[in-house]
Amino acid sequence: MNLFQKLLLPLMVAIFIPVVLLGYLSYERSKMQVEDVTSAFLQDNLQHNTEKVNEFLRELDTTGFRVIASSKLQRMLQNPPPQDFFQEAEFINEMKGITEELRGSYELFILPNHYENYPNYMNSHSSFGLELTKERIAKSFELGGKAYWAFETGQGGASKDLYYIRAIRTLTDFQNAGVMVFKISHTWMAKQLITPSQYPRFQLLLADGQANILASNLPIRQDESISLPSSTLQGQKSTFETEEMQGKSYYVASQAIADSGRDLWSLIATIPVSDLTVRIDGIKAFTFWMFVGSLFIIFVMLFFIVRQFTTPIQEVVRHMRQVQLGRLLYFTKFATKKDEIGQMVRGFNSMIQGMESLLQTTREIESEKQQLQQRMLINQINPHFLYNTLDSIKWKAESAHEKTIGDMVTTLANMLRFSMNEENEWTTIERELEHVRNYIKIELLRNNQAFQVLFDVQPSLLHLKILKLLVQPLLENAVRHGMNKLTERKGKILVTVYQEEADLIILVEDNGNGCEAEQLESYKWTSPVQGATEGGIGLYNVHRRLQLHYGRHYGVEVENRVPHGFKATLRHPILESND
């Protein structure tokens, strides 16, 4: 048994592992069980309360239909407005009897169409609590008989009374005749909520889609600000989570309720975690002190055991400091020991040997690097010399009125600048195609316009980023192996660029003689085709660059066209340009 096993394994097996596992598993399983029971308990409570709220909404809708269907109310609302105080008093008395008859369990207020002609009637309902503004009345008419909800802040600014607002339309021609408003007190709503009496800090809230609290089973103080849990504001049907609110952890469950309008209500049940985890907190404290005690025992044992091995380690450390100062000396003491100390000394000596070898290699590399840098400085002159020479040739050709030679030299210079002067290997489709057109221009001049090249490119793709020098080898292959071998028919090359889902597709097709079946079968792109010409090697290089950058899904595929011709398909991912 080596040193590591002698020290660590017995201590871990005897003390550390059992204590940690026992405490961890006990606490986590207790916590999981509490969470499972709490989730079922809260969800069951929310389900019962959801049924009660839905029953309340159905009852309210039924009462609203009964109000609309009242023949007495329909007759009163269709009568002309009162002309004097006595007619209005008669209207008030009759309307009072109708509302008492139709109100059900809620306070009801009927607003006639031309309410400005009923000043005394409106004053008699000033304590109703909701200001029926023109906007609210117009909204009820716009909904065409559908109800919507409104609320006004109650006393203290904490609770809110709910108001069910719905237009009353005539039963004959469905014209707007008035507005009904049911007032539902927040205290009445709170009494309808079912809450467990054994948990006094259990809170059940009814909130609308704008996070306004409509009802609560617990009283809300005037200076108290309640923020709803974030999980309830995300539009989910049902949730259960643990959240931090006001510095305390709460179990939070929510259930969505659709009201008779288009908004969404939510029932939110919260209970402090501490109310349910009092007992397992004791287990947690016991586990913690057991863990601390175990660490103390381990520390005392290690203190006496490690002292036996401190001296050799300290000597090794002192020798390491000498190495840090640049003295690569071998450590000879303790090298023959069979335990980890001996292994460490032998490994240290091997490291010294490796460092010496690495330093020697580094010196050789630095020397070679300096030579390469000197060569680069010399070679940097060559591109400028080449461009200046090409410009001189162009000037001489123009002086001799040889426009074709001047065009070829200019085009060749542009190709060289694109290939050599760019600082990175990226370009755009627009610049890549410009480079291809320069190449085609030279080939057409060399071959006396012996073929045609057509481009079909989606304009929206021109700005996309692409690896440089991908398309020109495909064109070069088509010219050398397709166009140059045609004898009878006119050669044509079609370059097509389009988008296919998240990939960029570039097709290069020609009407040449195609490729021999044996040679086409050999294009598996595992290596350059044996005996291939420069064009075949160019296709392989393009394919390998794409696969090295983007993976096996991308590359170049080749095939013969029917009845004759050759097609190369290049697949490249869609990349937005940084320009």
Side-chain angles (χ1 to χ4, degrees), residues 120-308:
N120 295 301
Y121 175 70
M122 297 298 292
N123 291 334
S124 65
H125 291 81
S126 59
S127 61
F128 191 69
L130 178 71
E131 181 183 358
L132 285 174
T133 62
K134 293 182 179 180
E135 290 77 11
R136 286 174 172 168
I137 297 172
K139 181 177 180 180
S140 65
F141 290 158
E142 290 174 0
L143 292 176
K146 295 182 180 180
Y148 75 94
W149 292 90
F151 60 86
E152 290 286 357
T153 303
Q155 185 177 5
S159 302
K160 300 175 177 63
D161 294 331
L162 291 175
Y163 295 89
Y164 175 94
I165 305 174
R166 186 174 182 176
I168 302 175
R169 299 196 296 178
T170 59
L171 300 178
T172 55
D173 53 2
F174 298 102
Q175 297 297 318
N176 294 319
V179 176
M180 73 174 80
V181 183
F182 284 103
K183 179 180 179 180
I184 298 92
S185 169
H186 67 275
T187 55
W188 183 89
M189 283 291 296
K191 291 179 181 178
Q192 307 308 307
L193 301 177
I194 305 172
T195 57
S197 57
Q198 64 269 33
Y199 295 106
R201 293 199 292 176
F202 175 90
Q203 187 167 35
L204 189 62
L205 303 171
L206 178 64
D208 64 4
Q210 286 73 42
N212 296 303
I213 298 175
L214 307 179
S216 172
N217 67 309
L218 297 179
I220 301 175
R221 300 190 307 272
Q222 179 175 352
D223 58 346
E224 185 177 4
S225 176
I226 296 181
S227 59
L228 295 183
S230 59
S231 59
T232 65
L233 304 177
Q234 300 172 356
Q236 300 182 18
K237 183 68 177 176
S238 179
T239 62
F240 175 79
E241 294 181 2
T242 302
E243 289 202 12
E244 291 290 331
M245 296 186 297
Q246 299 176 351
K248 295 182 180 179
S249 296
Y250 286 80
Y251 290 123
V252 181
S254 66
Q255 179 74 33
I257 305 173
D259 67 6
S260 57
R262 293 174 293 178
D263 294 330
L264 192 69
W265 288 359
S266 295
L267 273 172
I268 303 102
T270 65
I271 186 170
V273 175
S274 58
D275 287 8
L276 303 174
T277 59
V278 174
R279 294 183 179 178
I280 65 172
D281 284 342
I283 298 175
K284 180 180 178 182
F286 172 77
T287 304
F288 172 77
W289 288 113
M290 283 289 295
F291 181 71
V292 171
S294 300
L295 288 179
F296 177 75
I297 294 174
I298 293 173
F299 173 77
V300 173
M301 294 178 66
L302 289 177
F303 178 79
F304 290 102
I305 294 174
V306 172
R307 285 184 62 184
Q308 303 177 18

Side-chain angles (χ1 to χ4, degrees), residues 496-500 503-507 569-572:
T496 307
V497 182
Y498 63 93
Q499 182 176 352
E500 184 179 279
D503 293 338
L504 175 70
I505 306 298
I506 301 177
L507 299 180
T569 304
L570 185 150
R571 184 178 295 272
H572 189 288

Side-chain angles (χ1 to χ4, degrees), residues 349-470:
N349 291 333
S350 298
M351 181 185 68
I352 295 297
Q353 183 179 2
M355 290 175 64
E356 290 179 342
S357 176
L358 181 61
L359 287 173
Q360 180 63 29
T361 304
T362 302
R363 295 189 190 101
E364 295 175 357
I365 292 176
E366 286 295 327
S367 177
E368 184 178 355
K369 182 179 177 182
Q370 290 179 0
Q371 294 177 6
L372 290 175
Q373 287 177 344
Q374 292 176 358
R375 293 174 186 172
M376 285 179 59
L377 292 174
I378 295 173
N379 291 335
Q380 283 178 353
I381 302 174
N382 293 337
H384 298 287
F385 173 76
L386 180 60
Y387 297 149
N388 293 335
T389 303
L390 289 174
D391 287 339
S392 297
I393 296 174
K394 176 186 175 183
W395 177 77
K396 290 287 188 181
E398 290 177 351
S399 299
H401 304 289
E402 290 290 343
K403 187 176 184 303
T404 301
I405 298 176
D407 291 343
M408 292 181 68
V409 171
T410 301
T411 305
L412 178 60
N414 291 335
M415 291 184 63
L416 291 175
R417 287 189 177 93
F418 180 81
S419 303
M420 300 171 61
N421 291 353
E422 293 290 338
E423 294 181 354
N424 55 52
E425 60 177 338
W426 299 99
T427 186
T428 63
I429 295 177
E430 183 176 13
R431 291 197 291 265
E432 179 74 8
L433 293 180
E434 182 63 26
H435 176 70
V436 169
R437 289 187 176 94
N438 287 330
Y439 168 75
I440 292 300
K441 185 176 180 180
I442 293 176
E443 288 292 347
L444 290 175
L445 291 173
R446 291 179 58 219
N447 293 276
N448 198 22
Q449 309 294 327
F451 56 90
Q452 291 181 314
V453 180
L454 306 175
F455 290 86
D456 182 10
V457 183
Q458 295 181 5
S460 60
L461 304 178
L462 293 176
H463 71 284
L464 296 181
K465 186 168 69 171
I466 188 175
L467 283 174
K468 191 170 65 174
L469 297 176
L470 291 181

